[in-house]
Amino acid sequence: MSEQSGEAGTQVAAEQQEREQALMEKVVASFETSQDPRLKQLMQALTRHLHAFLREVRLTEEEWASAIEFLTAAGHITDDKRQEFILLSDVLGASMQTIAINNEAYANATEATVLGPFYVEGSAEIPLGGDIAFGAAGQPCWVEGTVTGTDGKPMPSARIEVWEADEDGFYDVQYDGDRMAARGHLFADENGDYRFWAITPTPYPIPHDGPVGALLAAVGRSPMRASHLHFDVRADGKRTLITHIFVRGDELLTSDAVFGVKDPLIHDFVEHPTGTPTPDGRDLAGVAWSSVRFDIVLAPAHAAGAGIASTDRSQ
């Protein structure tokens, strides 16, 4: 007697099925001695799902070896400026799924999305109306909005961290040297209002010169990300918000490589021709510019998933 297993309908003898099941159960049981209940739950569930995958696809030894080589290559290319495993998590949708689980919808709170692999600590503080570009190439973009709670009350002194790629599609950490550019942080005023200069977001590819890029090429997927500007917003008593805003009209909105686009995060970046007065009277020396308004609503700290999302900066 035999049973079917795998997409190709591979016939697997009942005795073989029993052997495989027994091994899986033995590995699961090996974690029973864990003194950490959550760790035990994680490892046992991981074992069940991993073995189910192996058995479903009837993984070959050659494919197993290739997978080990892939993970080894991901480790070798990872350094203090590039995290290939976050990139892998992103392109598999694991990052967005984890974010969805840990940031349940709450009233009218702004939706969360991926942190991405290019967040770095130690950005410069800028004043309200300051410029995060710090020499990064790109069209000037005026960004403004208000930070409130879901009750509509303003969040004075909310901390707003922002970062983005330049017009060539590269973050500062992708260049040689240690210059920080196109990133910074500021604090909302007493009314919860904020404003700063950035650069107009443009599409760019995720790093695809490593194993994750090779994987995408092998399956015919594009490495391109839709144009976006990253935000990390924090205020006392509120759930930390990690999110982006995206440019309405970008043709990549439906095919973002890391599945980060959500409709409420798509905003109008209004183009202003050369000579149009700026909100703060800044002289742009005859350069066209854009503007966007992004009003941020923070969920309370007691909301589901509060305090879990992206508070660990080890990535």
Side-chain angles (χ1 to χ4, degrees):
M1 183 177 178
S2 64
E3 298 179 13
Q4 287 193 346
S5 178
E7 290 186 51
T10 304
Q11 295 291 326
V12 180
E15 182 180 359
Q16 178 65 20
Q17 291 274 0
E18 291 173 2
R19 289 177 179 176
E20 294 170 4
Q21 181 70 15
L23 174 60
M24 184 273 290
E25 291 175 356
K26 184 175 183 179
V27 179
V28 169
S30 73
F31 295 108
E32 282 294 334
T33 56
S34 173
Q35 298 302 303
D36 183 332
R38 177 60 172 169
L39 178 60
K40 180 172 74 172
Q41 178 189 20
L42 292 173
M43 295 309 301
Q44 290 184 329
L46 174 62
T47 299
R48 292 188 189 99
H49 286 280
L50 177 59
H51 281 247
F53 163 75
L54 297 172
R55 297 170 70 187
E56 176 186 339
V57 303
R58 312 308 297 171
L59 195 75
T60 69
E61 292 184 36
E62 291 77 13
E63 290 166 338
W64 174 84
S66 293
I68 296 299
E69 290 175 3
F70 175 88
L71 294 174
T72 301
H76 286 166
I77 204 170
T78 296
D79 57 24
D80 60 344
K81 293 185 176 180
R82 174 170 179 164
Q83 234 301 355
E84 194 77 359
F85 286 102
I86 289 182
L87 205 59
L88 177 60
S89 175
D90 289 348
V91 303
L92 293 177
S95 300
M96 279 302 298
Q97 192 69 277
T98 302
I99 288 165
I101 291 167
N102 288 288
N103 291 267
E104 294 182 19
Y106 184 93
N108 59 334
T110 301
E111 295 197 42
T113 187
V114 293
L115 175 69
F118 294 116
Y119 170 85
V120 296
E121 294 184 342
S123 71
E125 180 180 344
I126 62 169
L128 284 167
D131 192 346
I132 70 161
F134 292 110
Q139 179 191 60
C141 178
W142 176 257
V143 185
E144 64 181 359
T146 301
V147 184
T148 66
T150 53
D151 57 3
K153 294 181 180 179
M155 301 305 302
S157 302
R159 187 184 189 279
I160 304 158
E161 180 104 19
V162 285
W163 66 101
E164 63 179 323
D166 62 21
E167 68 177 4
D168 295 317
F170 295 103
Y171 287 82
D172 50 5
V173 294
Q174 293 178 280
Y175 291 100
D176 292 334
D178 56 4
R179 178 179 70 102
M180 279 196 173
R183 69 175 72 239
H185 69 274
L186 65 155
F187 294 87
D189 66 17
E190 66 276 9
N191 299 312
D193 295 330
Y194 73 91
R195 54 199 174 273
F196 62 91
W197 284 99
I199 52 182
T200 305
T202 55
Y204 67 87
I206 61 173
H208 55 102
D209 57 340
V212 171
L215 172 63
L216 293 181
V219 299
R221 276 180 54 186
S222 169
M224 294 300 294
R225 288 225 59 198
S227 309
H228 61 275
L229 174 62
H230 291 268
F231 282 79
D232 173 331
V233 188
R234 299 164 185 254
D236 290 342
K238 301 300 179 183
R239 184 168 73 186
T240 295
L241 174 67
I242 306 294
T243 196
H244 312 353
I245 52 173
F246 297 87
V247 179
R248 194 181 309 280
D250 187 335
E251 62 182 15
L252 295 170
L253 290 173
T254 59
S255 60
D256 184 59
V258 306
F259 310 100
V261 179
K262 295 183 177 181
D263 287 346
L265 300 178
I266 300 172
H267 288 264
D268 293 310
F269 282 71
V270 180
E271 292 287 334
H272 302 281
T274 300
T276 304
T278 60
D280 62 347
R282 181 183 181 185
D283 182 2
L284 295 178
V287 175
W289 55 286
S290 69
S291 64
V292 63
R293 182 172 185 88
F294 178 36
D295 291 324
I296 300 165
V297 180
L298 301 180
H302 60 71
I308 298 175
S310 302
T311 55
D312 178 3
R313 292 307 193 184
S314 62
Q315 52 190 345

